[in-house]
């Protein structure tokens, strides 16, 4: 029985602790983690300093732990989760739902994400509002056009112009340039 919540739980729900009668902590894992979180929230700097001291006192163990974490792929996932939360206020589940709602690909071109690179979270830089998930080329294009819809429409118009009309415009511009004074 957990000494904090009073619930009878299997022994596997308790951390091991040498020196105790049954070899386990008196509080269950959930209560122990909740207490740790509360202590951290009350004074995060003390916990951060304690971690820094341990890292400095145990450089080999710290490096080995970092190596194992990196090899497991957990570090990349952890970094991705914290980046999404910190920058956009979204969870990995939110990202996955958005990707599914977009049909599994870029919101502009439909290209699916690569195995090694996820789609970029496109957002309005002034308001922070998330607009969708974009592949690298589409995201960069919006950035290069400074999110200016007028310029994007002009570029689309340019790409879809009639080639014959384009030739006439160029010929007219050339003839004006040749006939203007000073040439």
């Amino acid at each position: 029985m957990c000494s904090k919540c009073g619930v009878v739980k299997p022994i596997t729900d308790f951390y091991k602790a040498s020196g105790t009668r049954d070899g386990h902590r008196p509080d269950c894992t959930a209560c122990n983690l909740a207490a740790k979180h509360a202590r951290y929230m009350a004074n995060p700097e003390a916990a951060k300093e304690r971690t820094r001291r341990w890292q400095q006192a145990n450089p080999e163990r710290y490096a080995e732990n970092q190596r194992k974490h990196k090899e497991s792929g957990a570090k990349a996932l952890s970094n991705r989760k914290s980046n999404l939360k910190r920058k956009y206020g979204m969870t990995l589940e939110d990202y996955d739902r958005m990707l599914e709602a977009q049909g599994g690909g870029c919101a502009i071109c439909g290209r699916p994400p690569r195995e090694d690179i996820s789609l970029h979270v496109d957002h309005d830089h002034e308001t922070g509002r998330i607009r969708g998930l974009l592949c690298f080329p589409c995201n960069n294009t919006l950035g290069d056009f400074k999110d200016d819809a007028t310029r994007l429409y002009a570029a689309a118009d340019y790409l879809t112009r009639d080639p014959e009309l384009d030739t006439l415009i160029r010929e007219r511009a050339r003839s004006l340039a040749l006939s203007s004074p000073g040439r």
Side-chain angles (χ1 to χ4, degrees):
M1 180 184 317
C2 174
S3 63
K4 296 262 173 35
C5 65
V7 176
V8 176
K9 297 183 177 186
I11 197 73
T12 55
D13 284 359
F14 295 82
Y15 286 122
K16 290 184 179 180
S18 60
T20 59
R21 192 172 23 154
D22 66 355
H24 293 84
R25 292 186 54 85
D27 53 343
C28 68
T29 305
C31 289
N32 182 274
L33 291 175
K36 282 182 185 177
H37 181 70
R39 280 194 306 274
Y40 177 83
M41 295 309 288
N43 188 2
E45 284 309 311
K48 290 176 185 177
E49 181 55 35
R50 192 171 45 255
T51 300
R52 280 191 287 273
R53 281 195 315 265
W54 183 88
Q55 289 170 350
Q56 290 170 352
N58 303 282
E60 297 84 17
R61 285 179 60 197
Y62 175 66
E64 178 65 15
N65 288 344
Q66 290 294 97
R67 185 190 63 75
K68 285 179 182 176
H69 192 61
K70 185 175 182 181
E71 285 176 0
S72 74
K75 186 167 181 71
L77 181 61
S78 173
N79 286 347
R80 184 160 174 246
K81 286 168 117 174
S82 63
N83 182 55
L84 285 172
K85 193 64 158 172
R86 183 179 63 255
K87 287 181 80 173
Y88 309 109
M90 68 189 304
T91 65
L92 196 51
E93 292 75 22
D94 295 334
Y95 176 94
D96 290 340
R97 278 192 296 276
M98 185 178 283
L99 182 60
E100 186 179 330
Q102 290 182 191
C106 172
I108 293 176
C109 71
R111 182 182 304 154
R114 293 183 3 200
E115 285 292 319
D116 59 334
I117 299 176
S118 59
L119 295 178
H120 295 254
V121 177
D122 176 50
H123 63 287
D124 184 312
H125 289 263
E126 290 185 19
T127 66
R129 185 182 65 81
I130 295 172
R131 295 185 285 219
L133 304 175
L134 304 178
C135 66
F136 182 77
C138 289
N139 192 48
N140 270 11
T141 298
L142 290 185
D144 289 345
F145 278 86
K146 308 277 189 257
D147 292 346
D148 183 348
T150 304
R151 290 179 68 195
L152 284 164
Y153 284 126
D157 184 49
Y158 169 78
L159 289 174
T160 58
R161 262 197 317 218
D162 179 7
E164 290 178 25
L165 178 61
D166 198 32
T167 303
L168 288 173
I169 291 170
R170 287 183 188 175
E171 286 174 5
R172 176 78 174 131
R174 194 176 307 116
S175 69
L176 287 173
L178 292 175
S179 67
S180 66
R183 268 272 193 205

